[in-house]
Each structure stands twice: as structure tokens, then as C-alpha cells.
Amino acid sequence: MWLEQLPDEILLIICSYLTPFHVIEIFNNLNARLNCTISLYRQNLDLRCLNLRQFYFICEMIRSSFGENVHSITLSNAAPAVRQLILFRKQIESFTNILPNLEQLTLIDHYDDELDLYLPLVSILRNLKKLIINFIKAKNETILCSFITQMLADNFIYFDHIPKRRRRDILTLEKLSFTGTGYLKLTHIYNETITHLTIEIENTDDLIVIFTGFDALQYLDANLKQLTALTSNHYHSLYNQRKIQCSSLIKFRFQARWQPEVLSFNQFTSILSMMPNLQNFSCTLQSAKNQEELVNSDYINKDKWQNLCAEFHDLSNLDCSIKCSLNSTNTSETNFVRIIATISRTFDRSISIRLYYHNENNNTMKHVVSILQWKYQSTVELDIQELRNMTGRQLADKITHSQEITLYSDFLVDDSKLFSTFPESLCFRDHIIFSRIRSLDLLGEFSNMNNIFLISFVEQLIHRCPNLQSIGFFLYWVENMTDLVLDFLRPLKNDLKQIKRCYLYTEGDIDEKFISELAHLLPSLNLLSVKVDWYCITSDIVDLCIVNIKNLIHLEVVLEDIPDYLDEDYVDRMKMEKEIESLAMTRDIQEWLKQNTLLGKLSPKRLFRAEKSGNDLKIWL
């Protein structure tokens, strides 16, 4: 059979076994049909992995063959490339003529002395919509800040690399990402086109510069060196009659170090009030204080967050993680508390507060719970042994107005006789008692999770709880805990169809057997948040979840750090492999997932988005 007779689908399958470079080298300009078939390979060029010969070949093809078809280019100075950014500018001298339709430019691992070769392109490329600059190896922070400020200000245009003030006739840049720059101290900026911005900045004053300078900004991802109190000039301008507002911003995400005593929660709220139309807000706050010192802070006061949510009429998602050291003698950082708000326009607004920890101290969870002692109507915590001795009336008083139930065990209990029966007094016929409950969490140490008492209580709860959609396992110490989770779920199989979200923070293997049975037991599952042991391969876990969980739309993987007690040589080797993997993820998590998981083979109609922050990997399908 002639190659010409093969359908396009077969040709594309053949191309999937080749690198993008070899697809272009073999099929480019053979005929008009093949040029059309491989058009995506010619439109989106990633030159990072090319050796010098291949690099020069692609540059020649761009100049002579398909430069006008190129929509995106990715360049890098990382091996095997050798100063690729400078070489590319020399090869593609007349950028606007050779690449007139370029929409996205990505620069990775470059030096700041190369910026003056590319930043002028922002002014002259009429179709450039997205610019990504990652891992800048900055030599001069002052020069770098000057370059970036000049580029962001849309009243500048470049002539021979010298900025001169002049209004641009056409400016199309919409998405801009700067990472690895170090923390920038911004001066006044005015921009009318950028809608998506990712940037690293010095402090809270720089946030105000962004709020006041970007008229069209809709999505902001900021990494702050320090969340500080506003300086006097910004503070007064915030409260005068001309109140600062960034009315177009609908999604705001940031992480920062902060001192609660310097920036009060009321001041924190006033900063957020500059974004009146905010719909999605997430932040990670890191404090030098330990959890005992933060226990009375307004930042972990549920009423404060409830009032904050009430002020934002369009806010639908809020996720805040507060990180600090465990105690005064332990400097290891942990997620002290995570605040998640689920807000509905049709039902009462609610905030669920979940506790996470990342250490091996068996008293940590009990200690955190005992310090906080939250007693709110929306959440009720029940010790399984105290629950065993409660009367029906006592239990009803606790859960009638509750939206969340946490069952916890303070210490290892292995008494089959104690939990072999279910008290008649805890049986309820009234469905109203459980009607408001939306989530169930199990927390602590459970040696036997399929005992009659526990299963009977949960089974009754699920039967009479039409709104229950979330179940979480925050368990520790028992090595085969994943097996115990399955033991717990199997007797409840017929009542688990309504569960859509599952949180798994346990010890034990997350393997194909576990994921496949979990998907079978929870057929409606669309969100899975799971802690993965350090020895597991991240890409394998992602693939297992995608293959087995048919309705999955959100996957969150918490990657465990390598413990210090292992053999030194083994630890060093594993740490090196994990660091390489983490670096590749950080550079471009979307690209890493495409190359290493089944996400790269999904149907073009099924898109995905991903982000990685610290040890947290989040994927939206």
C-alpha cells in the first residue's frame, strides 16, 4: 500500500511514535496533504530537547518553509541546548516577517542579559498573546526589574533596545508569566490588555501596584516574599473616597510568608476588598511562629472567614492553607490548618475546616484538635468510644444542625467485644437528624474498621443523609491502612453511589488493586485527594486514577518527602531522582504530565489543567 493511501488517523498514529522533530524532518513538504496532516507539529514548536544539528535544521525550516504557520515556540538554554535563545535570535533575524502569526513565546533557563533580545518583540509582534519566562538566572536584579516594568507598561515601545515613550497602536499580549525571577519590587505600571498574570513580587505594596495598574486583569497568581502591612500612602489611598479596586479580577491565588501580629485579619480582609467581583480565592500563608502561638489568631477563627465570605457576593471557592512549625523546638513546617469554603447561592453558606499534618508523631493530631477546640454548629467531632456510650438524645443534639461529622479515635483500640454490637438507643427513625450532613471524616487510629458498631452507625447515617457527598480518611500508624479502608467500605457498597469526593491521607500501598476497588465501591467519585508514599512513582498513580475512576474531574496528589531514617546512600539516590522529577514538574507541569502519563494521550476534546505547589499536585480534567 502506498503511503498516500493511508487515512489521516493512521498517519497520526505513526507520528505519535516519533519525536516532533522527526515528524517535521520526515514529512514536511512531501506534499500538501501531509503538510496539512502534520500542521499541529509545525504550529507548536518545542526546541528544548534538540541537539545543535536538529536545532539548526528547524531554524532553516522556519525561515524557508513554514514560519508563517508557527503559533507557539518554546526555547531553553538547558542541556542539550547551548545558549539556544541567543542562537535562535541570530537565526531568525527578521522576527516579524518570518513569524508574523506567533501567539505564544516560552523562554526557559535563560540569563537576564538575553532579555533585551526578546522583550522588544512584545511591542512588534502583533499577534503575541502569551509570554512565559521561567527560571531566569538573574545577574542584576535592578536591570531585570527595569526591563520587566518597561515591558509591562503599555505606553512604552522599543527602538534599538532603548525604551522611548510612545503609545502603542496595537497591543495583544493577554497572558504573562514570570517565575524564577526572584522577588521584584514594582514601580507604577499601567496596562490595558493583560488578563492572566503570574509573577513573584516583594510585598503587599506591590500587590496594590498590580491592582491599580492592570485594567483588564482577571487571573492573578502571585508569590510574595512577605505579606506585610500597607505603607502609609497605600493605606490612606485605600480608605479615601477614591477607593482602590480591581473590578475585573475574578481569580486570585498567592503564597506568602507573614506575621499575624503585623498584618491583622481585618487588614487582610481590606486588601481582598479591593477585588469586589472575586469568584475564586486560594492562598498559602507561611508563618515563622509555631502552632501554639497561632492558636488564638483571627486567621484560624471560623467566624472571621464566614464574615469574609459573606462580603463577597460572587465568591464560590475559597481555599486557604496556613503553614507553621509544629512547636517551638521543631522547625519542620506543616500544614497547621486548611480552610475550605464551599459556598452556594441557593443554600446557606458554609465553611468546612480540615486539619492536615505531615509528621510521624502519634500525638500530633490529638494535640492540634485539643488546642483548637472548635465548637461550631456546622462541624461536630465524635470520639468513637464516647459515641459508644452516648444516648440517642445526646447524639441528636450534637448532629441535628451539623454539616460535617468527624469520627476520631485517640488511641489504638482493638476490642472486638466492645464494638460487636450497636446500641438500640442510637438507632434513629427521624431522617431530619442527618439531613444537613454533607461530609464524613474518620481521623486517628483504627485497628479494625469493619466492626459492627462503626459500620452500623455509618450505614444508618448514609441511609438518612441525602446530601452526603464527601468521605475522608485521615488515619495513621497502621501500615496496611489502605486495606482497612476497603474493609470499611465493602459492607457499605450499596449505599455509596452518592459519594463524589474522597480524601485519603493514610499509610499503605496506593496500587492498582486499591484504586480499582475504590473506583468500584465509589462509582460516582469525581474528586480524589490522596497522599502518596515517597517510594511510589507519581506518574503511575496518576495513570491508575485516570484509567479506573471514570467520572474523575479533579485529582490532588500529596507527595510525601523521603524520610531521614533510611540508608544514607539509598536516600541520596532517591532524593536525586525526586529532585529531578520535581524540577521537571515545576518547570512545566502540563508538559511533564503529557510526556509521562496517559494525559498526553487523551482525546483532544478532553482538556486538562494542572498546577504544582510544594508537594501538592492538582489536576483538573
Side-chain angles (χ1 to χ4, degrees):
M1 177 182 290
W2 290 97
L3 181 65
E4 283 291 321
Q5 295 176 295
L6 292 174
D8 288 347
E9 291 78 8
I10 299 297
L11 290 175
L12 290 173
I13 290 174
I14 293 172
C15 290
S16 69
Y17 287 92
L18 303 173
T19 66
F21 167 78
H22 289 109
V23 171
I24 294 175
E25 184 181 41
I26 295 169
F27 294 117
N28 185 60
N29 278 348
L30 288 183
N31 55 49
R33 181 207 169 193
L34 283 173
N35 279 348
C36 183
T37 303
I38 66 168
S39 60
L40 285 177
Y41 292 92
R42 303 185 341 155
Q43 291 174 5
N44 305 297
L45 299 177
D46 188 344
L47 309 187
R48 284 177 293 179
C49 297
L50 302 186
N51 59 37
L52 204 56
R53 182 195 70 81
Q54 294 171 335
F55 174 77
Y56 281 129
F57 175 83
I58 289 294
C59 290
E60 174 61 30
M61 289 294 98
I62 293 173
R63 290 196 306 268
S64 62
S65 179
F66 55 79
E68 70 280 359
N69 297 325
V70 176
H71 292 169
S72 73
I73 292 178
T74 300
L75 300 168
S76 171
N77 282 335
V82 180
R83 295 306 291 264
Q84 195 176 86
L85 277 73
I86 287 181
L87 291 177
F88 190 77
R89 276 303 267 130
K90 290 180 178 179
Q91 292 293 311
I92 312 298
E93 183 59 37
S94 180
F95 230 84
T96 53
N97 294 330
I98 296 176
L99 297 164
N101 298 309
L102 189 66
E103 297 179 358
Q104 177 175 328
L105 180 61
T106 302
L107 310 176
I108 298 175
D109 285 326
H110 65 83
Y111 295 88
D112 56 4
D113 59 1
E114 298 167 341
L115 277 178
D116 61 350
L117 297 175
Y118 285 90
L119 294 189
L121 299 177
V122 179
S123 300
I124 60 179
L125 287 172
R126 296 186 173 226
N127 292 306
L128 188 66
K129 292 183 174 63
K130 187 173 184 179
L131 176 63
I132 301 173
I133 301 181
N134 291 341
F135 296 95
I136 299 174
K137 300 172 183 175
K139 296 178 180 178
N140 189 313
E141 185 175 334
T142 303
I143 294 176
L144 179 62
C145 288
S146 175
F147 268 125
I148 291 176
T149 302
Q150 291 165 5
M151 189 203 65
L152 288 174
D154 69 3
N155 58 342
F156 280 96
I157 192 166
Y158 285 78
F159 295 94
D160 299 326
H161 312 320
I162 300 175
K164 296 182 180 179
R165 189 174 295 276
R166 175 182 158 187
R167 189 71 174 177
R168 294 174 185 163
D169 296 328
I170 298 176
L171 186 67
T172 59
L173 190 64
E174 296 176 356
K175 299 181 180 181
L176 182 63
S177 174
F178 283 112
T179 56
T181 60
Y183 299 104
L184 304 174
K185 185 62 184 173
L186 300 180
T187 56
H188 179 69
I189 294 169
Y190 180 68
N191 188 285
E192 295 177 334
T193 64
I194 291 176
T195 60
H196 296 64
L197 179 63
T198 300
I199 196 166
E200 298 173 347
I201 54 180
E202 185 75 21
N203 55 37
T204 311
D205 287 342
D206 297 299
L207 270 181
I208 309 304
V209 172
I210 293 174
F211 292 158
T212 56
F214 289 81
D215 280 358
L217 192 63
Q218 298 178 21
Y219 304 90
L220 175 60
D221 188 344
N223 184 359
L224 280 70
K225 181 179 180 181
Q226 195 78 23
L227 187 64
T228 57
L230 295 174
T231 55
S232 57
N233 59 330
H234 281 138
Y235 182 83
H236 292 309
S237 64
L238 176 63
Y239 286 99
N240 67 13
Q241 292 180 352
R242 296 179 299 153
K243 186 176 181 180
I244 297 172
Q245 284 198 345
C246 187
S247 58
S248 59
L249 194 64
I250 60 175
K251 184 173 183 179
F252 180 34
R253 176 180 177 271
F254 81 94
Q255 57 181 343
R257 290 195 172 275
W258 106 112
Q259 295 175 291
E261 70 277 10
V262 172
L263 185 72
S264 68
F265 189 84
N266 289 338
Q267 292 172 324
F268 177 76
T269 303
S270 69
I271 294 170
L272 295 183
S273 67
M274 301 177 196
M275 301 162 277
N277 300 315
L278 195 63
Q279 296 177 11
N280 294 276
F281 172 61
S282 61
C283 67
T284 300
L285 301 175
Q286 300 168 304
S287 175
K289 293 183 172 296
N290 57 60
Q291 65 185 29
E292 289 92 342
E293 295 171 318
L294 280 175
V295 65
N296 294 317
S297 169
D298 286 343
Y299 283 88
I300 56 173
N301 185 315
K302 190 172 181 182
D303 288 338
K304 294 284 186 180
W305 289 98
Q306 189 80 48
N307 294 335
L308 184 150
C309 292
E311 292 182 16
F312 291 86
H313 299 293
D314 295 323
L315 189 65
S316 58
N317 292 293
L318 181 147
D319 189 338
C320 175
S321 294
I322 295 178
K323 293 186 176 182
C324 70
S325 61
L326 291 172
N327 51 59
S328 57
T329 60
N330 187 347
T331 58
S332 62
E333 196 177 73
T334 184
N335 280 351
F336 172 49
V337 62
R338 183 175 178 187
I339 302 161
I340 303 173
T342 304
I343 304 171
S344 171
R345 295 182 181 180
T346 56
F347 297 100
D348 293 337
R349 292 169 177 248
S350 64
I351 297 179
S352 64
I353 297 181
R354 300 181 184 278
L355 305 179
Y356 295 84
Y357 72 105
H358 295 291
N359 78 338
E360 298 299 327
N361 183 354
N362 65 326
N363 292 319
T364 299
M365 187 66 73
K366 179 182 178 181
H367 181 52
V368 173
V369 173
S370 63
I371 288 178
L372 297 178
Q373 294 181 341
W374 280 317
K375 305 283 186 183
Y376 293 99
Q377 275 192 333
S378 62
T379 304
V380 61
E381 296 168 350
L382 301 171
D383 186 323
I384 189 171
Q385 295 192 73
E386 293 179 1
L387 175 63
R388 179 70 177 77
N389 298 318
M390 276 187 183
T391 65
R393 174 54 60 185
Q394 290 173 328
L395 180 59
D397 290 341
K398 280 182 170 289
I399 65 177
T400 299
H401 301 289
S402 300
Q403 296 178 355
E404 298 180 353
I405 289 183
T406 297
L407 297 176
Y408 68 91
S409 176
D410 279 342
F411 55 88
L412 201 61
V413 178
D414 189 10
D415 191 334
S416 57
K417 292 183 179 179
L418 180 63
F419 298 112
S420 60
T421 59
F422 189 73
E424 192 69 27
S425 62
L426 294 182
C427 293
F428 296 97
R429 296 182 180 180
D430 188 355
H431 287 61
I432 298 178
I433 293 174
F434 297 95
S435 61
R436 296 171 58 90
I437 296 173
R438 298 179 181 180
S439 69
L440 169 67
D441 293 337
L442 284 87
L443 180 154
E445 303 173 50
F446 292 83
S447 62
N448 180 10
M449 294 184 64
N450 64 350
N451 62 73
I452 293 176
F453 176 79
L454 183 60
I455 294 297
S456 299
F457 177 77
V458 174
E459 187 175 28
Q460 177 184 214
L461 187 152
I462 293 177
H463 272 314
R464 292 168 170 76
C465 188
N467 296 314
L468 182 67
Q469 295 187 351
S470 173
I471 189 167
F473 299 91
F474 304 88
L475 314 172
Y476 52 88
W477 273 112
V478 181
E479 292 185 0
N480 63 333
M481 191 57 71
T482 49
D483 291 334
L484 297 183
V485 169
L486 295 179
D487 289 341
F488 171 76
L489 293 175
R490 286 182 187 117
L492 305 169
K493 176 183 175 182
N494 295 330
D495 301 304
L496 297 175
K497 294 180 180 180
Q498 67 196 58
I499 302 297
K500 295 182 179 180
R501 300 185 297 275
C502 182
Y503 301 86
L504 281 165
Y505 292 80
T506 68
E507 299 296 328
D509 292 333
I510 307 295
D511 52 18
E512 183 174 7
K513 174 183 176 296
F514 175 77
I515 294 294
S516 61
E517 186 167 359
L518 182 70
H520 177 69
L521 293 169
L522 305 175
S524 301
L525 193 65
N526 58 37
L527 182 153
L528 177 62
S529 181
V530 59
K531 180 180 78 71
V532 174
D533 289 326
W534 59 269
Y535 53 81
C536 294
I537 300 174
T538 307
S539 57
D540 289 349
I541 301 298
V542 173
D543 286 345
L544 286 174
C545 294
I546 293 171
V547 170
N548 291 282
I549 306 176
K550 303 302 181 183
N551 298 312
L552 187 67
I553 59 175
H554 184 192
L555 174 63
E556 180 174 343
V557 179
V558 179
L559 308 173
E560 184 186 47
D561 291 328
I562 299 176
D564 296 330
Y565 56 76
L566 298 175
D567 176 71
E568 185 175 347
D569 294 335
Y570 185 66
V571 170
D572 289 342
R573 186 169 68 254
M574 288 297 300
K575 280 186 176 179
M576 182 177 296
E577 293 175 359
K578 289 291 184 181
E579 286 174 0
I580 293 173
E581 179 184 270
S582 179
L583 180 60
M585 288 183 181
T586 305
R587 285 179 174 175
D588 191 338
I589 185 59
Q590 298 266 145
E591 188 61 30
W592 185 88
L593 289 168
K594 286 180 181 179
Q595 294 181 5
N596 294 277
T597 71
L598 293 176
L599 290 170
K601 299 181 180 180
L602 289 177
S603 165
K605 295 181 180 180
R606 191 181 183 192
L607 303 177
F608 78 93
R609 181 171 65 87
E611 64 180 39
K612 185 176 184 293
S613 176
N615 286 358
D616 291 346
L617 169 61
K618 298 180 181 180
I619 302 171
W620 293 266
L621 297 172

